[in-house]
Amino acid sequence: MIIVIGSAEENHTPENPFTAGERFQMIEAALEAEGIDRKKYCIIPVRNVKNFILWTAHVDQYIPPVYKVYTGSQIVKELYLTYGKYEIEDVEMLQGINGTGIRDKMLNGGGDW
C-alpha cells in the first residue's frame, strides 16, 4: 500500500499543524502499533498543486505504478474519476472522526483525541 501525505510543504498552520516528517512518523508509529509489517506499505510526502486539473498527474510523478486508489474524500474521488486512469475504491469514513476535529482537540486540550 502506498500512503500519500498530501500538502507536504505546509506545516504549523491550523489545517496542517505538523510537518510532513512528523506526519510520516505518526502514521508509521500507528501502523507499527497495529503490527503491520513495514514491507507492506510505503509513505510518500507529496507537495500540493492548487490546480485540480493538474493534481492527479502531479501525484503520479511521486508514486510507483498503481492500479487502484482508495479514498474517503469526495473531491479526490471526483478528480481520479475524471482522470480515468485508476479504479476507485471508496473508504468508509468513521462518523464523528475527522482531521479538523482532531486538530481542534489537540490545539485546545480537548481530552481524548
Side-chain angles (χ1 to χ4, degrees), residues 42-62:
C42 66
I43 305 168
I44 302 173
V46 176
R47 294 178 61 93
N48 195 19
V49 170
K50 296 183 182 195
N51 182 325
F52 286 154
I53 293 171
L54 301 176
W55 186 80
T56 49
H58 171 74
V59 172
D60 272 3
Q61 294 177 37
Y62 293 91

Side-chain angles (χ1 to χ4, degrees), residues 40-98:
K40 293 187 176 187
Y41 66 89
C42 66
I43 305 168
I44 302 173
V46 176
R47 294 178 61 93
N48 195 19
V49 170
K50 296 183 182 195
N51 182 325
F52 286 154
I53 293 171
L54 301 176
W55 186 80
T56 49
H58 171 74
V59 172
D60 272 3
Q61 294 177 37
Y62 293 91
I63 63 174
V66 298
Y67 64 92
K68 188 182 285 190
V69 171
Y70 293 84
T71 184
S73 165
Q74 188 60 38
I75 188 67
V76 170
K77 180 180 178 179
E78 292 298 323
L79 292 172
Y80 274 106
L81 284 172
T82 301
Y83 192 44
K85 190 172 175 181
Y86 305 119
E87 182 181 337
I88 310 300
E89 186 78 31
D90 285 317
V91 174
E92 184 179 334
M93 302 300 280
L94 298 175
Q95 294 297 321
I97 298 177
N98 62 64

Side-chain angles (χ1 to χ4, degrees), residues 7-27:
S7 300
E9 76 283 6
E10 294 185 21
N11 55 72
H12 304 291
T13 68
E15 295 81 23
N16 292 293
F18 302 104
T19 66
E22 290 167 331
R23 289 181 262 170
F24 186 108
Q25 289 174 331
M26 287 185 274
I27 294 166

